[in-house]
Amino acid sequence: MSRVEALMLPAGGHCVPMPALGLRVPPRTPHSLRWRAGSPEAVVARAVGLGLGLDVAAGAEDVVAGALAASRTDEGSAFVTVTVTAGPAGPGPREAFLEAGRRLRHPVVDLALLPGAPFGAAAAAAAAPRGGPSQADVGDLDFDPSPAPDPRQVHAWVDAWRELLALRDEGRIRVVGTAGAEAVDLALLMDSTGEAPAVNQIELHPYRARRDLRGFHAQHGIATAALRPLATGAVLLHEPTVHRVALAMGASPAQVVLAWQWLHGDAVVSTATRPRQLLDQVASLDLRLSPEHVALLDGLDGGTPAPGPTGRPVPRRRRALRRPSAALRRFMSPRR
């Protein structure tokens, strides 16, 4: 089994190693099915032991902190990523980050991500200074013709990026990036601050290859981190083309999709609810797809999810099952 390699990210004059494979850690809620099949402590501890990074979703800080404490993981041995979400009515980016760090009980966060611009791409393109990459390089990449919002919203988003850069310079964050940013968003940040994100985390899978955006990343030295590699709802597991390649390679459908990810992105952020699923994901590093198989998977770009095993389309979202109330159970029980 291959070892998870490290990706070197620029961090203001030096480089920081980031694991090329990360585990997305969702929050644990009373009605969530995510962790019902396994213990988050066991999954997180196994991920750290295999060399995976931890991508901590909002609300999951306590889960990760408890898992690292229970596994007695040495401080600094786990690469921790947080997404800093700061809305106009909520705390600012600095306050939001410090609160996440307090809940994580992690003095220094390895990677902090700023979500993509909450306004349309048209506003980002209009706000960017003339002559920068937004004019010369972006072109029509993912252009959103929605009307431009209040300029204060644009400036607040750029100020949030500046705040993350300041936190990095203070030593509280090792490296900064973005999550879900489009090319015009990235160009706006570069034009306004002179510094590009080290990594941009985007949804990337055979149904959505994002060739233009990945080309923009490569042109400006931005690493691509693939989020939701099996697509929303893991619908790629029911794709006939994926099954055909998996059968030919003697691998699982999930391993085939992850192997495709390694060819198209710099890093992958996946999910797992059992430790053995992590072993399956790490094993995908050893899988080498043939050019014919890569072409088959590339041909899925822009397509629609295949029907599930019942012949009906797989739902994009799944609602958590809730236990019926006592009154409802009495109503459902057969009368004697």
Side-chain angles (χ1 to χ4, degrees):
M1 180 180 295
S2 295
R3 185 177 179 180
V4 178
E5 298 181 355
L7 177 69
M8 303 306 293
L9 299 179
H14 64 283
C15 291
V16 172
M18 181 188 78
L21 180 60
L23 171 69
R24 177 73 168 174
V25 184
R28 177 166 50 185
T29 61
H31 302 294
S32 175
L33 294 177
R34 180 74 68 179
W35 291 119
R36 248 176 229 187
S39 164
E41 289 77 15
V43 175
V44 170
R46 186 58 171 155
V48 175
L50 291 172
L52 276 69
L54 301 177
D55 190 284
V56 186
E61 296 88 355
D62 295 334
V63 173
V64 173
L68 294 178
S71 62
R72 295 181 173 87
T73 301
D74 295 334
E75 184 179 309
S77 60
F79 189 95
V80 177
T81 299
V82 299
T83 301
V84 180
T85 304
R94 177 177 288 268
E95 292 74 15
F97 168 78
L98 294 177
E99 175 61 19
R102 182 191 66 79
R103 295 182 61 185
L104 276 169
R105 290 173 257 166
H106 222 67
V108 178
V109 170
D110 298 287
L111 173 61
L113 301 176
L114 178 69
F119 39 82
R130 298 290 174 180
S134 60
Q135 300 293 325
D137 304 327
V138 174
D140 295 327
L141 289 181
D142 300 310
F143 188 78
D144 180 4
S146 58
D150 190 330
R152 291 175 295 183
Q153 190 179 14
V154 180
H155 296 152
W157 185 68
V158 175
D159 288 342
W161 174 247
R162 289 195 178 98
E163 198 65 54
L164 290 187
L165 294 176
L167 288 166
R168 183 201 62 188
D169 296 340
E170 295 171 12
R172 297 177 182 272
I173 302 172
R174 298 180 66 196
V175 63
V176 292
T178 51
E182 299 295 342
V184 286
D185 302 336
L186 300 171
L188 173 59
L189 296 180
M190 289 186 284
D191 287 341
S192 302
T193 65
E195 187 164 350
V199 60
N200 186 26
Q201 189 181 94
I202 60 173
E203 182 176 353
L204 176 65
H205 46 73
Y207 286 144
R208 198 177 186 201
R210 309 301 303 274
R211 292 183 177 89
D212 290 340
L213 182 55
R214 286 189 287 111
F216 185 86
H217 289 171
Q219 183 179 358
H220 296 283
I222 303 171
T224 301
L227 188 65
R228 300 186 189 93
L230 300 178
T232 303
V235 293
L236 274 165
L237 296 180
H238 305 293
E239 170 58 48
T241 301
V242 173
H243 278 265
R244 193 183 319 149
V245 175
L247 183 62
M249 300 290 297
S252 69
Q255 286 178 330
V256 166
V257 176
L258 289 175
W260 181 90
Q261 297 280 353
W262 299 121
L263 297 175
H264 293 75
D266 301 304
V268 176
V269 180
S270 190
T271 59
T273 57
R274 296 181 179 90
R276 64 179 177 82
Q277 292 176 330
L278 297 172
L279 298 176
D280 191 59
Q281 294 173 9
V282 175
S284 68
L285 294 169
D286 296 322
L287 195 61
R288 297 292 180 266
L289 300 176
S290 67
E292 293 78 12
H293 292 154
V294 173
L296 284 174
L297 297 173
D298 285 345
L300 297 175
D301 187 24
T304 56
T310 61
R312 293 174 297 179
V314 178
R316 288 284 186 174
R317 297 178 180 270
R318 298 179 180 176
R319 292 185 178 180
L321 299 179
R322 298 187 179 184
R323 186 179 181 183
S325 63
L328 183 57
R329 290 198 302 272
R330 286 196 300 269
F331 175 79
M332 295 169 59
S333 62
R335 296 183 180 179
R336 297 182 180 177

